[in-house]
Amino acid sequence: EGLEPAEAHGHEDHVVVVGYGPGGQRLVRVLRDTRLPFSVIEINPARARKAKEDGVPVIAGDAVRPHILEHAGIHTAKLCALFIDDSVATRRIVELARQFNPTLQIVARTRYMADVEVLQRAGADVVVPEELETAIRIFTHTLGAYMIPPEEINMQVNAIRSGNYEVFRGSLNEAHMMVLQGLDEEGLHTRAVAVRPGAPIASQRLGELNLRRSFGLTILAVRRGDRTIGNPDGDFQVQPDDRLVMVGAASQFAACAFLFRPDAPALPPDHAPFDPTPKP
């Protein structure tokens, strides 16, 4: 397995793309054109070589192996997108990625509708059955994760559909680039983090958690069902299935990961956070 340094390893809030087949290549094209940080994991030697030839930061290895995900920077990544055909491997990678980084957004492609619920239970936020809309839905979710305004994303999607998916056959044109110039630092550092049943943060009040003082994170809003609660106060009690919209650095999200890890022991506030600095 080639563990060559990838471009995103020193970055935070990047996308980890698992699989450099046609779907992965299309997403990489969009990420490059929108200048979003990313790294790629590819187990197939021929596809890994193609990625290198394309100038893509790639790790040649099996993402089922924990050290491969760690080498891709999964602890500080913002999003992981999976484009592989092996349903068993996809489920295992989702489980590992979710365990390593509970604040990560995970988007997975699957061939069969029967796998959707399985992957969601494993920790995937979005599962897309393989069909013509696959590329559009993953592309839409990825841009949404970076706080591109919904109306601009819809404009992108309509342009893609009206052009018979032409945008995925080449580079984004000048008009699409203008639409995506709304990307800013606030969007890059904002995450919507799911509170899963059994996570230590569930049933706690925000005032008791004091995420700003303990981790430097600011809660902008909470999504609960169809409602969005802006600027919740200290008496607000977090519930399972809430989504906390927070802003902070990737290292700060990594430090609070234990709060969102289902069935994890409640660690003391002064626990040693994850250190993304490579060890000698």
Side-chain angles (χ1 to χ4, degrees):
E1 291 168 338
L3 296 182
E4 296 184 5
E7 186 177 304
H9 291 176
H11 293 177
E12 298 181 338
D13 295 312
H14 57 290
V15 180
V16 175
V17 181
V18 181
Y20 197 64
Q25 291 174 37
R26 290 165 187 153
L27 180 58
V28 164
R29 195 173 300 133
V30 171
L31 294 172
R32 270 186 154 176
D33 287 343
T34 53
R35 294 180 172 83
L36 296 179
F38 67 93
S39 62
V40 172
I41 301 173
E42 175 55 62
I43 191 173
N44 181 288
R47 287 180 175 174
R49 282 195 299 272
K50 175 171 173 50
K52 289 181 182 179
E53 292 168 0
D54 293 343
V56 169
V58 61
I59 298 166
D62 189 352
V64 167
R65 299 190 177 188
H67 72 282
I68 296 292
L69 283 174
E70 291 183 308
H71 191 69
I74 198 70
H75 286 282
T76 54
K78 180 185 178 76
L79 188 141
C80 179
L82 290 89
F83 291 92
I84 59 176
D85 295 330
D86 186 332
S87 60
V88 174
T90 298
R91 187 185 74 244
R92 181 57 182 153
I93 294 166
V94 168
E95 291 171 342
L96 284 171
R98 177 59 64 212
Q99 179 69 15
F100 280 141
N101 186 349
T103 70
L104 185 73
Q105 292 189 45
I106 302 176
V107 187
R109 183 198 69 184
T110 180
R111 285 186 171 183
Y112 308 108
M113 287 296 298
D115 290 334
V116 172
E117 189 174 341
V118 172
L119 292 174
Q120 287 175 335
R121 285 199 304 268
D125 295 288
V126 177
V127 181
V128 185
E130 192 173 42
E131 53 193 2
L132 286 178
E133 289 289 283
T134 294
I136 281 188
R137 288 189 59 189
I138 292 183
F139 163 62
T140 298
H141 186 79
T142 299
L143 294 186
Y146 283 90
M147 306 299 285
I148 301 294
E151 60 271 21
E152 296 184 359
I153 295 177
N154 289 336
M155 191 185 309
Q156 267 290 43
V157 169
N158 290 336
I160 293 168
R161 288 188 175 127
S162 64
N164 192 28
Y165 301 87
E166 187 63 33
V167 71
F168 286 110
R169 301 193 185 111
S171 206
L172 289 172
N173 60 31
E174 184 177 355
H176 291 118
M177 290 301 297
M178 290 174 62
V179 167
L180 297 174
Q181 284 174 353
L183 179 66
D184 57 20
E185 280 298 303
E186 183 178 350
L188 192 66
H189 297 301
T190 302
R191 301 190 190 187
V193 183
V195 177
R196 290 176 167 77
I201 196 171
S203 302
Q204 295 201 41
R205 297 185 185 278
L206 293 182
E208 298 168 343
L209 292 165
N210 205 341
L211 295 175
R212 185 195 294 269
R213 186 185 66 186
S214 300
F215 304 102
L217 295 169
T218 300
I219 296 182
L220 304 178
V222 177
R223 296 174 187 165
R224 178 171 291 170
D226 296 330
R227 292 190 301 144
T228 299
I229 304 157
N231 298 313
D233 60 25
D235 290 329
F236 184 88
Q237 189 174 42
V238 179
Q239 296 180 3
D241 300 322
D242 281 350
R243 276 190 178 268
L244 308 186
V245 181
M246 301 185 291
V247 62
S251 58
Q252 294 165 331
F253 280 108
C256 78
F258 72 96
L259 288 172
F260 296 91
R261 193 168 285 127
D263 303 318
L267 301 180
D270 59 351
H271 79 290
F274 166 75
D275 181 2
T277 305
K279 301 298 185 294

